[in-house]
Amino acid sequence: MSFHNDDNYLDWIDQLALNDYVVIDNFIDTELYKLILSFFERKREEESLKKAGIGTFSQHQIDLSVRGDYVYWLDKVRDESLKSFFKLSEELQQKIKRYCFLSISDFECHLAYYPAGTFYKKHYDQFNARSNRLISFVLYLTPEWNYGDGGELAIFQEKEIIKVEPIAKRLVLFKSDKILHEVLITNKARYSLTGWMLNNPVGLGYL
Ligand code: OGA
Ligand code: NI
């Protein structure tokens, strides 16, 4: 069984190859959305989300002037109630590998919670000591995002700035080394699941 058909994958991957990013609406269905959101709320209640840092482990810093989100790193084994999400992300990775000829060998991902008033300043997802991120993956989960709620993803292109509204079930993929981007200040709690397709196993980037 597959989540999406090959025509859709080909279309999305074409856009990713052409523009360095693609926005896909309704990437997940309502059932999977509810599953991820209730898992998310449970982790928040358990206070499992931690203030996100910048840089690699060895130079880990927490700088509120750069980013204000809280994260929970997901683990396929420990967080097995999200099995259908991991299956879907594996399907996507397989298609990208096949149609983009990318040597993706792993996927790391976390839940991200931005309280009202927070943001993530302009950055690339590949930083110096961490050059193994190939494709960034952001799945939006905020219930009932409305215009004016903020928290858009701003994508900086040579001639324009594209603002992507963080509408629930929407997925954005972009090339981690090519896209300069920013999370604009959010006026209400913003939920997402963010991941990266890697070209060597999780962990090696930290060595
Ligand atoms: C990130 C990031 C974008 C978003 O976590 O590196 O840029 O829209 N996230 O949440
Ligand atoms: Ni980023």
Side-chain angles (χ1 to χ4, degrees), residues 105-150:
S105 58
D106 228 322
F107 181 65
E108 59 179 8
C109 57
H110 63 52
L111 304 175
Y113 177 77
Y114 287 74
T118 61
F119 49 79
Y120 191 163
K121 289 285 186 205
K122 219 191 244 191
H123 65 280
Y124 288 99
D125 281 355
Q126 276 204 1
F127 28 85
N128 306 335
R130 199 55 212 282
S131 59
N132 65 332
R133 287 177 166 175
L134 296 174
I135 303 286
S136 302
F137 169 110
V138 193
L139 177 64
Y140 296 108
L141 303 168
T142 305
E144 292 173 53
W145 184 91
N146 288 304
Y147 190 79
D149 287 342

Side-chain angles (χ1 to χ4, degrees), residues 67 69 110 112 114 120 123 125 133 138 140 151-153 174 181-183 190 192 194 196:
R67 66 187 293 190
D69 56 328
H110 63 52
Y114 287 74
Y120 191 163
H123 65 280
D125 281 355
R133 287 177 166 175
V138 193
Y140 296 108
E152 294 91 347
L153 170 68
F174 58 87
H181 60 283
E182 173 167 352
V183 177
R190 178 189 195 266
S192 62
T194 309
W196 296 273

